[in-house]
Amino acid sequence: MGEKVAAGAFGLADRRHYRRKLQQCLAGLARLLEEERFDRPKNLMGLEIELNLAGPDGMPRMMNAQVLERIASRDFQTELGMFNLEVNIAPHRLEGRVLDRLAEELRTGLAYAHRKAGEVDAGIVMIGILPTLGPDDLVSANLSDVDRYSLLNEQMVAARGEDFVVDIDGVERLRCSSGSIATEAACTSVQLHLQVTPARFADVWNAAQAVAAVQVAVGANSPFLFGHELWRESRPPLFQQSTDTRPPELQAQGVRPRTWFGERWISSAYDLFEENLRWFPPLLPLCDDEEPLRVLDDGGVPALGELVLHNGTVYRWNRPVYGLVDGVPHLRVENRVLPAGPTVTDVIANVAFYYGLVRALAEEARPVWTRLPFDAAARNFDEACRYGIEARLDWPRRGRFGGVERVAAVSLVRDELLPLAAAGLDAWGVEAADRDFYLGVIEERCRRRVNGASWQAATFHRALESGLERDVALAATTRRYGELMHAGEPVHTWPVGLPAPAVRLGT
């Protein structure tokens, strides 16, 4: 979906042609897999972070075009809403002091972007959902002025045939509707890419699915939307509902949503691409001139453009990615579970935990997905989104008797998963100093039961107790979050509450 697309009307002939091209692309992918044409393993990872723009008052600023013009860097791009940006970090090899290098690149890039945003009275806020967003901010008029967003919105609205309904019952209940997909723009995430060989893809994807709930539990950072306190990580239910092209009748029939966790462990990357074609109608029937099977017959490698585009409109929390670099195809697992923020240190700690844990679990002799029912992994994900750091999760019992037991997420992480993550980082060749520092951040979050979501909620309630109105308390919490985010100390060290106002002494 990052490719430029041109808006236009689609007829039945366009859609029939697109379906034929999708089937050709899928057949081409199958041949590439069978002929083992993919890139050799390079231990490459990639990182993207979606960001919010807010003013000194903590309120959203609809000015990403002006800010991007001033940043003038290819590393920063538009995102769905005018108050969104995205920063892309070039691929790195997982080895040595990669974690510290990533942290330094992010700090430098974000500080520069923040300074440039300040020239138009805005600033960068790295957070899952900006607490000060209101319904009037998330309307189609505030979608970024980019053809692909306009076209996607038009096609999703047409597919649904009625307003999108958001109904999230958490600490409080929020129910509202929208005539566009603009509410999706509230969700700002971290996307982690890992290039893998076809032979290892299924193991890595299954491992990523198994630990998605744990990622959310320790990394939750999105407790508020439209002035309501909802789930500790409200992005997943919001994203699912704001992209749900199924009218109520199709929902009642069990038709799958375009944003979903999945329903089974897999044995090949092909499984996921095939599911996409079988279950999800195309939204953007844009075809190129490539004939993928003829390209293969001629000894070339096809771009599979239609398959890639369709895959970009199915929002799995762990998404398969097919890519082509210098004529050589590769596969990636794109992990889309984590919210942005709170600080660069926290983001890199989440990065370390994920890459280490996935490596270790994917190489276990008795993989976790052979011992954990997929339905349990899906329930874990919802539980972690609801309760964050306080979640209790189902996990395979250690020892000879087997089975599944329910454990506190923080205990599971500290007792079992952090040692696995450390072993996984060792296997990547990451330096011990990086390993210990960043996994230590995860351990401290668990020990103190603090993450971005718990800090936001505690500070908001402290502000209410001091007598502030809800809207004022949310804005003050957002401003304080921004201050501490840019100061850079990890969230488990943040003092709860707002700083006392300065008292001017008389003379």
Side-chain angles (χ1 to χ4, degrees):
M1 285 303 298
E3 298 298 318
K4 292 183 178 179
V5 298
F10 302 116
L12 291 177
D14 298 311
R15 296 186 183 278
R16 282 195 297 268
H17 182 47
Y18 188 78
R19 286 184 184 277
R20 286 196 298 270
K21 287 294 297 286
L22 278 175
Q23 291 298 335
Q24 292 171 20
C25 287
L26 188 63
L29 177 66
R31 277 184 56 178
L32 286 166
L33 290 168
E34 182 180 350
E35 295 169 9
E36 299 181 349
R37 300 280 295 277
F38 285 84
D39 198 5
R40 297 187 304 276
K42 293 181 178 177
N43 295 353
L44 286 178
M45 57 82 67
L47 174 63
E48 306 168 59
I49 305 177
E50 295 162 349
L51 308 165
N52 289 277
L53 292 173
D57 56 359
M59 306 304 290
R61 291 286 192 271
M62 306 296 164
M63 50 200 328
N64 62 1
Q66 299 95 310
V67 172
L68 284 169
E69 183 179 2
R70 284 164 171 78
I71 293 174
S73 167
R74 292 182 181 179
D75 293 343
F76 288 84
Q77 301 173 358
T78 56
E79 252 301 328
L80 183 60
M82 288 184 175
F83 60 95
N84 299 143
L85 302 175
E86 181 176 87
V87 59
N88 297 282
I89 300 298
H92 283 63
R93 195 179 296 274
L94 272 163
E95 62 184 13
R97 299 303 300 268
V98 62
L99 299 174
D100 264 355
R101 289 198 305 274
L102 284 169
E104 185 57 32
E105 286 181 34
L106 266 178
R107 286 191 189 96
T108 301
L110 292 179
Y112 174 74
H114 188 59
R115 288 196 304 273
K116 289 299 180 182
E119 294 175 5
V120 289
D121 202 34
I124 302 293
V125 182
M126 191 164 54
I127 194 169
I129 297 175
L130 194 66
T132 49
L133 284 168
D136 292 343
D137 297 315
L138 297 177
V139 294
S140 56
N142 286 336
L143 293 176
S144 293
D145 186 19
V146 177
D147 279 347
R148 70 178 182 271
Y149 299 138
S150 301
L151 185 56
L152 184 63
N153 180 58
E154 174 188 303
Q155 295 300 307
M156 293 188 86
V157 169
R160 180 159 176 103
E162 56 188 77
D163 283 355
F164 296 87
V165 174
V166 172
D167 188 352
I168 304 174
D169 192 5
V171 177
E172 299 170 314
R173 185 172 185 181
L174 170 67
R175 182 177 172 84
C176 61
S177 62
S178 172
S180 75
I181 63 170
T183 46
E184 178 195 333
C187 306
T188 43
S189 66
V190 172
Q191 289 132 42
L192 305 177
H193 292 255
L194 179 61
Q195 183 177 330
V196 294
T197 62
R200 298 297 292 162
F201 184 94
D203 289 345
V204 172
W205 188 86
N206 289 339
Q209 287 285 98
V211 303
V214 178
Q215 287 182 272
V216 170
V218 297
N221 196 29
S222 314
F224 297 108
L225 178 66
F226 296 166
H228 292 69
E229 185 178 355
L230 302 174
W231 293 10
R232 283 302 182 249
E233 186 51 43
S234 304
R235 281 172 43 259
L238 174 61
F239 201 104
Q240 177 174 326
Q241 294 174 25
S242 61
T243 59
D244 196 346
T245 54
R246 307 169 302 164
E249 296 82 3
L250 292 184
Q251 295 180 33
Q253 293 170 37
V255 172
R256 295 160 180 85
R258 296 193 86 93
T259 300
W260 72 320
F261 187 79
E263 61 187 30
R264 63 178 178 133
W265 306 116
I266 65 166
S267 58
S268 166
Y270 182 89
D271 295 348
L272 300 176
F273 288 101
E274 189 274 334
E275 284 180 355
N276 286 356
L277 271 63
R278 181 154 43 101
W279 290 333
F280 300 105
L283 288 176
L284 304 172
L286 298 161
C287 295
D288 59 30
D289 296 330
E290 179 184 77
E291 297 183 44
L293 298 180
R294 179 172 294 178
V295 171
L296 283 166
D297 289 341
D298 293 341
V301 178
L304 307 182
E306 292 81 10
L307 191 76
V308 170
L309 181 60
H310 184 52
N311 185 53
T313 65
V314 179
Y315 304 102
R316 299 177 185 271
W317 295 111
N318 284 292
R319 177 191 272 167
V321 178
Y322 171 88
L324 199 60
V325 177
D326 298 328
V328 181
H330 68 265
L331 291 171
R332 303 194 305 273
V333 174
E334 180 190 15
N335 178 263
R336 302 161 49 82
V337 167
L338 290 164
T343 67
V344 168
T345 297
D346 287 300
V347 168
I348 302 303
N350 292 339
V351 167
F353 185 52
Y354 170 74
Y355 285 117
L357 192 52
V358 164
R359 172 72 183 255
L361 291 179
E363 295 181 350
E364 279 193 317
R366 290 185 62 219
V368 64
W369 56 92
T370 66
R371 298 176 287 131
L372 181 70
F374 193 92
D375 287 349
R379 288 194 304 273
N380 282 348
F381 186 68
D382 281 347
E383 176 85 3
C385 291
R386 282 182 178 273
Y387 301 111
I389 202 81
E390 300 297 335
R392 296 182 63 81
L393 308 175
D394 290 332
W395 197 256
R397 185 181 288 110
R398 287 186 286 182
R400 54 190 287 192
F401 299 107
V404 172
E405 62 180 341
R406 174 148 288 208
V407 295
V410 292
S411 299
L412 175 63
V413 171
R414 293 180 71 189
D415 297 343
E416 186 170 345
L417 301 185
L418 277 173
L420 283 172
L425 292 177
D426 288 344
W428 287 121
V430 171
E431 287 279 352
D434 274 19
R435 176 200 68 200
D436 294 344
F437 176 77
Y438 289 105
L439 293 185
V441 170
I442 302 296
E443 182 174 18
E444 280 300 299
R445 280 192 220 153
C446 293
R447 189 176 70 82
R448 305 186 192 196
R449 292 181 179 261
V450 172
N451 59 15
S454 69
W455 182 91
Q456 287 186 58
T459 296
F460 169 69
H461 285 288
R462 188 78 60 86
L464 289 181
E465 291 164 4
S466 74
L468 296 182
E469 297 293 328
R470 283 184 75 94
D471 289 351
V472 177
L474 278 172
T477 298
T478 304
R479 290 195 301 272
R480 181 60 173 159
Y481 178 102
E483 293 168 1
L484 292 169
M485 183 207 97
H486 287 289
E489 292 300 316
V491 71
H492 68 263
T493 68
W494 291 7
V496 170
L498 305 175
V503 178
R504 181 172 297 175
L505 298 176
T507 56

